[in-house]
Amino acid sequence: MNYLQEWQQSCVDQQLIELNVTALEGVAPSEYLFYSDHLPRRNDGRVRDDILKRYEHTEAGGWWCSGIDVMTGEKDLWGCFKPNQPRLSFDRQKLIKYEHPPKTATGIFALQVPAALWQKIAQRHNHDKANAVLNTNTESGDFWQWVLNNPDIPICITEGAKKAGSLLTMGYAAIALPGINNGYRTPKDEWGNRTGKSHLIPQLAKFATKQRKIYIIFDQDSCPHTIKAVNTAIRKLGYLFTQAGCQIYIITWPPEWGKGVDDVIASQGTTVFDPIFQQALPLEMWKAQGLNQLTFSPQTVVNSAYLPLVDLPENAKLVGIKSPKGTGKTEYLATLVKQAIALQKKVLVIGHRIKLVEALCQRFGLPYVSEIKDKNSGASFGYGLCIDSLHPHSQVQFDVADWHNAIIIIDEVEQVLWHGLNSDTCKKNRVAILTTFKKLLQTVLSGKGKVYLADADLSDISLEYMIALAGFSLTPFIIKNDWKPNHNETWPVYHYQDNSPKRFIKDLVKDIRNGGKPFVCLSAQKLSSQWGTQNLESYLVKQFPQQKILRLDSESLSDPAHPAYHCMQHLDQVLRNYDIVLASPAIETGISIDLKCHFTSVWGLAQGVQTATSVSQALHRIRDNIPRYLWVANYGFNTIGNGSTSIPNLLTSGHRLTQLNIRLLQQSDLTTLDDWDTGFQAESLLCWAKMAVRVNTAMINYRETILGLLRQENHEIIEHHPPKKTKSEDQNSRSITQLTDAINEVRQQNYQAECKAIAYALDLTEEQFKVLKKRLIKSQSQRHSIRKFELKQRYGITITPQIVVLDDQGWYQQLRLHYFLTMGRSFLSDRDTVIARNLIRQGHGSLFLPDFNGSQLGVIIGTMEVLGISVLLNYPERVLSPLDPDLQAMANLAIQNRHEIKTVLKIGLALKSSPITIIRRFLNLMGLKIACIGTKKIAKKRIRIYQILPPEDQRQAVFIQWFLRDQKCPGSSELWVEEYWQNFNLMSQNNDNEDQYIQLKLNL
């Protein structure tokens, strides 16, 4: 094949090929390659014979490519030669496909651009010089000078001249590197030791102007080692461009489309690249998404619909199993458990949800920890537990010494670790849990035990964290199943692109009316949620009284009076008796429903609360190959920390917040300050940060992330577009509105009834409350009484249905800020000190920083005081004008410190936010509002004026109760609440608390 055909196969313009590529043979390649003054030569100036011998293969011919030297604007001496007969590398491991001039620093391929392509590129970017392009001399390098002069022209950087030619042909300004690491230099001495900072090569530095957009487009490889190398090169190159003020974007595509960008354009068509370009990820977001990857080299690779048993070497201590959903990971683990028990080895199963671990234990033939009366006699073969109980103070009184040579199994390890590092249920004992977990791993891995980590989404994060906790060098044994369902085994996913799920719900109802039997996955269960399991159940029961409907959520699964009670152990048998199933996130992971030919479809409604992987997991609970119908919120709102997608940013902002909190506590009488360990388990904090930015990235791109996960599994996404506006569509809109109104009416009725039931529930004594609270199984009336007691303790006033509603809407968080900014300000330091002492005591002197920062209010209140919010609260009658100098100064201060405000208060402020908008954002945190009370003429301009509305709730009565408590015992207004939440988290591992947390997030 001649060079012209080769380049045309990469979809490169013929005129561009002619300008940059030349066929060479005989001695001609040597004339192009051997121009360096540093080459060893004979006295007559000829290159030494040994070098000529090394390059004699070039005489058989090949092609040479070089472009423009952007430093001079002239034709570049440097380039590459592709020989027809390539030589082997020195170690004879691979062919050297391209030869570059020896003893010469590598450059870039800035190819000469024909006038027609120049105009195409200019037009793509709406540049005003497009009409003048045809009159320019492209061979003089004017095109690249034009790019240099116009920083608004984005530049694509790829590897290999042909790929740059392909992109230029598409209308993108593209330059190429000869290799992924050739865009920068790292100074080193003769022994290879680093002697200075890395820097961009001069040719790239010339393009690194402020605000220029740089798109990095490297190959999509499937080899883990190559993936890791490419990712490292992208991070280094991206960082150096960022330091120069450029905006960096990374372009990726499904590897099956082709390895290089020219392969993608050739195989998928020339129109496919434009949307890929538009969907490019900012560097930080790409880095966060990269945290999903597994780049550890697998020792065993299989491609099987059902995971086969793999013989493990004796020295395989840490075993990672990455296998797609529904490929029999649980059965594989069950076999391992049987083998371990046969060898008289104890097995410990660790999970993050009681129902999931109970189901696993049943499959494994092990007891769940609550079934063991005496751990010394009832746990001879081991047991299962939630990570929440993995500490000496739990009911099981976990002792690491009992598990010296045991087998540890952690299924769904990514979620288990995240639960241990971030969940509220672990907050009280997190330091003890993480300390015990580390000791457990060190004990097992240093002995004759093994640790098995299984997850369809197993990533480097989990493995690196486990190795770091082990504390010694450890090579994990990776079993990787590359199986993907073929077209006949995948399901179609009908995706609703609407901004709300109303049409989705209408179609669900229509499907049921037409005889469908749907399995419906929802985001919440509470009656306050419009699309929760309870309200949808009530609506469907009215609409379809003949249909059998089962609700699966944390309440129904633990209510002895409900048919869902204890159904997890035999779910397939139970579900076959029902026509419609409504499931909350209580069963989104780890459950396999193998019932065939019963359900006709699966419907998923994701409101932006669950993680993207959890939504994908929920859709997979039904193994049957039936259609999926999906509505996903555009953006999630359950972000972590300050919502950053940068690990350094998240950690730095967290450390800064810690220092501020400590400085404030130093001003109090916290005498134990010197005994604090704020550096507790740096490896756990780093793992938390990695997982947090991964969650934040998915929340920012919630819909696309979930769809991307489904595409990776070969499922076909079918866009279910909203119908065009027609006369019949007007009728359809009315029917959707009627449906929504009907569901809202059901919600209002149910919710009002529940609020009344709570308000008028039987009053409990403190002893009765403690007894009931410890019960895992409770009736509905007992739940209502418990809630009423908690509310009375929290607010100190008579509980009415309206108080229940307000509490569900986050009233406590709002009142707490308002109280400490006003009446309770003098008690703030006492409050923070008491809570800090509790955390220090619980952690035996150690603090896990995210928990500590989340517990303190001093910095939050102080920030609002610096901005003058407390002054506004003390003078609510003050008239607010956007031209008021005080308000403008406050707004300027807030905008200047918007990043710090995002970290402290979790609210984002736009650069052009008006003073009134900013005030409104801060007042919203306290449940307060401002209203326009008229207009006023200022400097010949009529403007609106505002005033803070007096709150129409009972907060003043609550403040008085809190004030009286704090007078008797400073800080006590929150002492009971703090103790209550800790007890609540400890006793509610059956996900009741998680659902309340979800609902609170939804309301806020």
Side-chain angles (χ1 to χ4, degrees):
M1 177 171 58
N2 62 44
Y3 74 90
L4 187 60
Q5 289 176 315
E6 182 182 346
W7 279 66
Q8 285 176 336
Q9 284 185 356
S10 290
C11 300
V12 183
D13 176 81
Q14 182 167 340
Q15 192 177 357
L16 186 144
I17 300 171
E18 292 170 355
L19 284 172
N20 298 279
V21 188
T22 306
L24 302 176
E25 61 181 4
V27 297
S30 299
E31 294 172 358
Y32 278 77
L33 289 168
F34 302 148
Y35 64 82
S36 172
D37 293 335
H38 299 289
L39 283 170
R41 299 177 184 273
R42 303 188 319 187
N43 290 336
D44 61 1
R46 200 184 79 168
V47 175
R48 270 182 11 194
D49 290 346
D50 59 329
I51 296 177
L52 292 175
K53 179 72 174 174
R54 189 188 308 162
Y55 286 91
E56 65 180 354
H57 65 287
T58 63
E59 295 177 6
W63 54 257
W64 167 268
C65 176
S66 63
I68 295 294
D69 183 347
V70 296
M71 306 302 291
T72 64
E74 302 298 325
K75 180 73 175 176
D76 202 348
L77 274 177
W78 181 88
C80 76
F81 179 72
K82 184 179 183 183
N84 293 332
Q85 298 177 7
R87 63 186 168 105
L88 285 171
S89 58
F90 283 116
D91 57 8
R92 306 188 70 79
Q93 293 296 310
K94 63 178 182 178
L95 292 174
I96 298 176
K97 292 172 63 177
Y98 296 97
E99 301 285 359
H100 300 94
K103 297 294 182 180
T104 303
T106 55
I108 63 172
F109 294 101
L111 302 180
Q112 298 181 66
V113 179
L117 291 186
W118 185 348
Q119 184 165 4
K120 184 177 181 179
I121 293 167
Q123 288 174 337
R124 174 180 292 280
H125 301 295
N126 300 315
H127 208 274
D128 57 3
K129 290 189 177 180
N131 293 328
V133 169
L134 292 173
N135 299 320
T136 61
N137 178 9
T138 60
E139 291 193 42
S140 68
D142 287 349
F143 171 79
W144 291 108
Q145 188 58 51
W146 172 75
V147 173
L148 287 167
N149 293 341
N150 293 280
D152 59 317
I153 304 296
I155 294 175
C156 298
I157 298 179
T158 187
E159 179 195 11
K162 279 191 296 183
K163 294 164 190 168
S166 183
L167 289 167
L168 285 163
T169 303
M170 289 283 295
Y172 294 91
I175 54 182
L177 304 173
I180 56 174
N181 294 305
N182 291 123
Y184 50 86
R185 302 274 188 268
T186 302
K188 294 180 180 178
D189 59 23
E190 56 185 309
W191 296 282
N193 299 316
R194 185 169 175 168
T195 59
K197 293 182 178 180
S198 297
H199 56 83
L200 292 171
I201 61 174
Q203 296 93 324
L204 286 187
K206 202 168 177 66
F207 290 100
T209 50
K210 200 167 185 179
Q211 297 303 311
R212 188 189 291 279
K213 292 182 179 179
I214 305 290
Y215 290 79
I216 301 176
I217 316 174
F218 287 167
D219 289 357
Q220 302 298 298
D221 213 292
S222 56
C223 172
H225 178 76
T226 306
I227 292 172
K228 186 174 286 190
V230 170
N231 290 348
T232 300
I234 291 175
R235 281 194 290 268
K236 285 184 178 179
L237 190 61
Y239 170 78
L240 293 172
F241 271 116
T242 301
Q243 292 298 100
C246 299
Q247 300 176 43
I248 312 303
Y249 297 86
I250 314 301
I251 291 179
T252 60
W253 55 86
E256 57 267 24
W257 287 8
K259 183 177 179 181
V261 66
D262 56 336
D263 300 324
V264 175
I265 294 170
S267 65
Q268 302 295 314
T270 56
T271 58
V272 77
F273 184 75
D274 289 339
I276 292 176
F277 183 86
Q278 296 300 324
Q279 294 166 13
L281 292 175
L283 177 63
E284 291 298 340
M285 202 169 290
W286 169 83
K287 287 197 288 188
Q289 280 200 351
L291 294 170
N292 293 312
Q293 292 181 328
L294 177 65
T295 60
F296 280 88
S297 296
Q299 282 75 16
T300 300
V301 179
V302 298
N303 193 325
S304 175
Y306 202 79
L307 187 64
L309 196 62
V310 175
D311 290 330
L312 299 175
E314 188 60 33
N315 64 350
K317 309 291 292 179
L318 179 63
V319 181
I321 303 169
K322 181 170 180 135
S323 188
K325 305 173 187 73
T327 54
K329 290 190 297 298
T330 304
E331 285 304 315
Y332 182 93
L333 295 173
T335 304
L336 295 177
V337 172
K338 288 179 182 177
Q339 291 176 347
I341 292 174
L343 295 171
Q344 296 188 332
K345 287 201 169 191
K346 291 178 71 173
V347 179
L348 178 65
V349 180
I350 303 174
H352 69 300
R353 291 191 169 177
I354 286 179
K355 300 303 178 186
L356 169 59
V357 184
E358 284 180 341
L360 284 176
C361 286
Q362 186 186 35
R363 298 277 289 273
F364 296 163
L366 294 172
Y368 182 70
V369 67
S370 62
E371 301 168 20
I372 300 172
K373 302 300 181 184
D374 181 356
K375 71 170 185 174
N376 295 320
S377 60
S380 56
F381 296 126
Y383 55 78
L385 52 63
C386 282
I387 195 171
D388 308 59
S389 301
L390 196 72
H391 61 90
H393 313 300
S394 65
Q395 245 177 341
V396 71
Q397 298 179 333
F398 189 86
D399 187 352
V400 170
D402 296 337
W403 305 91
H404 186 66
N405 294 320
I407 302 297
I408 310 296
I409 291 178
I410 310 179
D411 195 13
E412 309 290 352
V413 63
E414 298 277 327
Q415 296 191 56
V416 174
L417 294 181
W418 180 234
H419 182 86
L421 291 166
N422 193 68
S423 75
D424 284 340
T425 61
C426 294
K427 183 177 179 181
K428 177 183 177 183
N429 297 298
R430 187 151 5 247
V431 170
I433 290 168
L434 296 179
T435 300
T436 305
F437 189 49
K438 183 173 183 176
K439 289 179 181 177
L440 176 67
L441 290 176
Q442 291 177 343
T443 299
V444 171
L445 293 173
S446 62
K448 296 181 180 180
K450 291 184 187 294
V451 176
Y452 292 91
L453 313 176
D455 204 303
D457 303 303
L458 184 66
S459 71
D460 289 348
I461 296 180
S462 294
L463 292 166
E464 288 169 352
Y465 179 47
M466 303 296 273
I467 293 169
L469 289 177
F472 57 89
S473 180
L474 190 63
T475 301
F477 188 95
I478 307 296
I479 302 169
K480 189 167 181 279
N481 187 359
D482 287 334
W483 179 82
K484 285 187 178 183
N486 59 40
H487 182 69
N488 296 326
E489 295 167 314
T490 59
W491 9 275
V493 180
Y494 295 92
H495 170 233
Y496 287 73
Q497 291 188 321
D498 313 53
N499 291 326
S500 85
K502 295 177 181 178
R503 188 167 62 95
F504 170 89
I505 296 294
K506 175 182 176 292
D507 287 353
L508 169 62
V509 173
K510 182 180 177 182
D511 179 71
I512 297 170
R513 190 168 285 117
N514 291 336
K517 290 186 174 183
F519 186 95
V520 187
C521 307
L522 301 166
S523 295
Q525 74 175 46
K526 292 299 179 182
L527 290 170
S528 52
S529 172
Q530 181 179 8
W531 313 114
T533 55
Q534 295 190 50
N535 285 315
L536 202 53
E537 177 190 36
S538 297
Y539 174 78
L540 293 176
V541 165
K542 286 185 177 181
Q543 294 295 313
F544 306 101
Q546 304 304 317
Q547 303 282 60
K548 297 190 70 177
I549 302 173
L550 182 66
R551 171 168 57 88
L552 298 174
D553 54 34
S554 60
E555 285 193 9
S556 66
L557 290 169
S558 58
D559 183 354
H562 198 282
Y565 179 65
H566 273 182
C567 73
M568 300 296 283
Q569 284 77 10
H570 42 89
L571 200 54
D572 283 5
Q573 290 83 351
V574 172
L575 294 184
R576 70 174 67 253
N577 299 318
Y578 290 90
D579 305 306
I580 303 166
V581 175
L582 307 173
S584 80
I587 65 163
E588 71 189 1
T589 61
I591 303 297
S592 179
I593 301 173
D594 299 308
L595 188 60
K596 299 289 185 183
C597 301
H598 179 74
F599 294 108
T600 58
S601 57
V602 175
W603 298 68
L605 191 157
Q607 294 176 256
V609 180
Q610 306 138 278
T611 63
T613 51
S614 294
V615 175
S616 174
Q617 288 267 13
L619 294 175
H620 282 80
R621 291 313 97 212
I622 299 289
R623 303 303 192 191
D624 206 359
N625 187 356
I626 52 179
R628 267 64 172 173
Y629 295 84
L630 179 65
W631 181 87
V632 185
N634 278 309
Y635 308 101
F637 52 82
N638 207 2
T639 54
I640 311 300
N642 62 359
S644 176
T645 58
S646 163
I647 294 172
N649 181 288
L650 192 67
L651 288 174
T652 301
S653 64
H655 281 298
R656 191 180 298 123
L657 189 55
T658 300
Q659 295 305 314
L660 287 171
N661 281 317
I662 289 175
R663 199 175 306 155
L664 289 174
L665 289 172
Q666 285 174 329
Q667 298 170 11
S668 69
D669 62 346
L670 188 57
T671 55
T672 56
L673 188 64
D674 293 336
D675 299 329
W676 290 16
D677 175 15
T678 57
F680 170 76
Q681 283 197 12
E683 61 271 31
S684 291
L685 185 62
L686 178 60
C687 184
W688 172 86
K690 289 178 179 179
M691 289 186 163
V693 299
R694 189 167 65 181
V695 170
N696 290 342
T697 301
M699 289 294 164
I700 293 170
N701 302 278
Y702 196 63
R703 178 176 285 181
E704 281 307 313
T705 300
I706 291 171
L707 294 177
L709 290 173
L710 295 173
R711 288 192 187 100
Q712 287 175 17
E713 295 166 346
N714 283 355
H715 301 300
E716 181 186 6
I717 308 297
I718 302 169
E719 297 298 346
H720 207 295
H721 298 283
K724 294 180 180 179
K725 291 288 183 182
T726 62
K727 190 171 182 179
S728 61
E729 174 55 21
D730 289 337
Q731 295 175 346
N732 191 41
S733 295
R734 283 195 295 272
S735 67
I736 290 176
T737 302
Q738 290 169 356
L739 171 67
T740 306
D741 291 344
I743 293 177
N744 272 330
E745 185 179 350
V746 169
R747 183 183 74 88
Q748 287 294 334
Q749 291 173 355
N750 288 343
Y751 186 49
Q752 288 173 8
E754 183 184 58
C755 291
K756 287 179 180 178
I758 292 170
Y760 306 135
L762 182 69
D763 287 310
L764 301 176
T765 65
E766 189 166 345
E767 276 304 311
Q768 289 173 327
F769 167 76
K770 288 179 178 178
V771 171
L772 273 181
K773 192 64 184 177
K774 290 180 180 179
R775 290 186 187 173
L776 291 177
I777 301 168
K778 309 176 187 76
S779 68
Q780 190 176 52
S781 62
Q782 289 172 336
R783 291 179 186 275
H784 290 160
S785 291
I786 289 171
R787 179 79 189 283
K788 182 180 182 180
F789 181 88
E790 292 164 349
L791 293 175
K792 285 176 69 175
Q793 293 296 320
R794 171 173 278 192
Y795 297 113
I797 61 175
T798 302
I799 303 304
T800 65
Q802 182 59 25
I803 297 297
V804 179
V805 173
L806 289 170
D807 186 70
D808 283 338
Q809 294 173 349
W811 198 44
Y812 173 67
Q813 285 76 11
Q814 296 168 354
L815 264 59
R816 185 173 64 170
L817 290 181
H818 194 176
Y819 174 72
F820 284 118
L821 268 169
T822 53
M823 186 185 294
R825 182 62 180 87
S826 61
F827 304 114
L828 177 61
S829 62
D830 293 313
R831 179 260 178 207
D832 280 358
T833 300
V834 167
I835 292 177
R837 278 196 180 125
N838 285 341
L839 286 173
I840 294 169
R841 185 178 65 252
Q842 291 155 8
H844 298 284
S846 296
L847 288 172
F848 190 61
L849 295 189
D851 291 337
F852 169 65
N853 287 334
S855 72
Q856 299 293 288
L857 285 179
V859 176
I860 295 174
I861 299 300
T863 300
M864 297 178 79
E865 286 178 334
V866 168
L867 292 168
I869 304 301
S870 56
V871 176
L872 291 179
L873 296 178
N874 289 324
Y875 298 96
E877 71 281 357
R878 175 173 175 169
V879 174
L880 307 176
S881 160
L883 298 182
D884 187 320
D886 288 345
L887 299 190
Q888 289 185 334
M890 180 273 291
N892 289 335
L893 183 61
I895 290 172
Q896 290 169 13
N897 295 278
R898 64 188 183 280
H899 298 301
E900 288 75 12
I901 288 172
K902 177 74 172 177
T903 296
V904 174
L905 295 168
K906 309 295 188 294
I907 59 173
L909 299 175
L911 277 171
K912 296 183 179 179
S913 298
S914 70
I916 296 299
T917 298
I918 291 173
I919 290 172
R920 184 176 282 118
R921 295 297 305 277
F922 285 112
L923 293 178
N924 281 345
L925 293 175
M926 295 171 284
L928 299 173
K929 298 179 180 179
I930 60 173
C932 177
I933 59 172
T935 60
K936 185 177 181 181
K937 198 170 184 180
I938 300 177
K940 299 182 179 181
K941 185 177 180 181
R942 187 158 293 280
I943 61 168
R944 292 179 177 179
I945 55 176
Y946 300 83
Q947 203 167 36
I948 298 177
L949 292 175
E952 296 180 356
D953 52 25
Q954 299 180 53
R955 66 179 62 197
Q956 288 304 323
V958 175
F959 289 173
I960 291 170
Q961 293 300 317
W962 287 356
F963 187 82
L964 292 174
R965 286 184 191 175
D966 285 337
Q967 274 190 321
K968 293 178 182 178
C969 179
S972 65
S973 66
E974 283 209 9
L975 277 180
W976 187 90
V977 173
E978 183 70 18
E979 182 183 354
Y980 148 66
W981 277 113
Q982 289 168 355
N983 289 332
F984 183 62
N985 292 333
L986 183 65
M987 298 306 303
S988 301
Q989 296 171 14
N990 60 350
N991 303 309
D992 290 355
N993 61 313
E994 182 171 346
D995 200 84
Q996 288 192 15
Y997 177 71
I998 287 172
Q999 190 55 48
L1000 175 61
K1001 286 283 189 180
L1002 286 168
N1003 289 332
L1004 290 177

